[in-house]
Amino acid sequence: MSNLSYQILPNPDDNTHEVRLFVDGIDWIEAGHLGLDPPDLVRELTREHRNHLTIGRCGCGVLGCDDLVVDVQRKLYSVEWSCLNRKSAVFDAEHFDSFVATLVKDNSWEPVGRTVERHLNEIFAGRKTGDGYAFDWSSTRVEPNVMTLSVTKNGHQKLLQFSWDGETVASALSRGQQFLQKQFND
Ligand SMILES: [Zn+2]
């Protein structure tokens, strides 16, 4: 059985991070592809019915451009990954599950802006603005010291913004709570 491990690196080109995946110590994603941003990979690894798993994205950074996808075969005691031009990898199912659990809990890579996004995404999840727009995502990476929230209604997107100090989670969360009460009162 193979060993699966990861390393999370910043990708300054598009202001994301990437998760490199190592099978028995060898980079399984290989040069030319970027790893997924950590929350994207977590979403891939934790969704139901995952016969295919996107583990890498095009070197340009865009998901859906030239994804690296593996076929996943889950059996009682093993998880097998196979894809073109690579030797299949077989993991012990318990080892694989604990790998996923560790990655899901790992926030150690986050700059403060990403920690803020994670908290705000939880706070705003499922909420709607007074005029019926549903929350999609938050980003500290659009403008410095500005929190950007995407909301949509019938396919129409709006971006809402509020300021924060750019440095502390506490500042962002208290500004976020005020914003929530004022704007998301549906
Ligand atoms: Zn591309």
Side-chain angles (χ1 to χ4, degrees):
M1 296 276 176
S2 282
N3 179 276
L4 182 61
S5 61
Y6 70 91
Q7 198 183 2
I8 299 177
L9 304 171
N11 184 51
D13 282 353
D14 67 352
N15 230 339
T16 61
H17 279 63
E18 61 159 334
V19 187
R20 304 299 306 185
L21 296 171
F22 300 89
V23 175
D24 296 325
I26 294 165
D27 190 331
W28 177 262
I29 293 174
E30 296 184 348
H33 278 91
L34 285 168
L36 266 55
D37 192 53
D40 290 337
L41 184 62
V42 164
R43 208 171 302 123
E44 277 291 304
L45 287 167
T46 53
R47 69 185 160 77
E48 300 281 320
H49 308 299
R50 39 188 198 271
N51 299 325
H52 304 284
L53 191 61
T54 301
I55 61 164
R57 56 190 159 130
C58 178
C60 77
V62 177
L63 258 179
C65 176
D66 177 24
D67 293 347
L68 176 60
V69 179
V70 293
D71 290 325
V72 180
Q73 265 207 314
R74 174 135 198 157
K75 299 192 178 133
L76 194 50
Y77 297 111
S78 69
V79 176
E80 179 169 349
W81 280 8
S82 50
C83 80
L84 272 180
N85 306 323
R86 282 172 182 73
K87 217 171 121 245
S88 295
V90 184
F91 312 108
D92 181 84
E94 235 172 78
H95 169 72
F96 185 81
D97 291 343
S98 84
F99 167 88
V100 173
T102 303
L103 181 66
V104 167
K105 280 191 304 229
D106 186 354
N107 304 320
S108 63
W109 59 275
E110 291 176 346
V112 63
R114 299 298 303 261
T115 306
V116 164
E117 289 175 15
R118 175 165 52 80
H119 287 300
L120 288 183
N121 287 342
E122 278 168 19
I123 292 170
F124 283 83
R127 301 298 298 261
K128 277 187 181 173
T129 61
D131 55 354
Y133 281 74
F135 172 80
D136 306 313
W137 49 258
S138 69
S139 179
T140 55
R141 290 169 284 161
V142 179
E143 277 178 53
N145 300 0
V146 173
M147 174 63 59
T148 302
L149 306 179
S150 166
V151 294
T152 44
K153 178 175 157 184
N154 303 327
H156 179 251
Q157 184 193 31
K158 280 204 298 196
L159 296 178
L160 309 176
Q161 295 188 314
F162 62 86
S163 63
W164 67 300
D165 70 7
E167 285 171 15
T168 60
V169 175
S171 152
L173 294 192
S174 83
R175 299 280 293 121
Q177 288 293 357
Q178 289 168 9
F179 196 77
L180 184 71
Q181 278 163 21
K182 209 170 75 184
Q183 306 272 350
F184 287 72
N185 42 17
D186 195 21

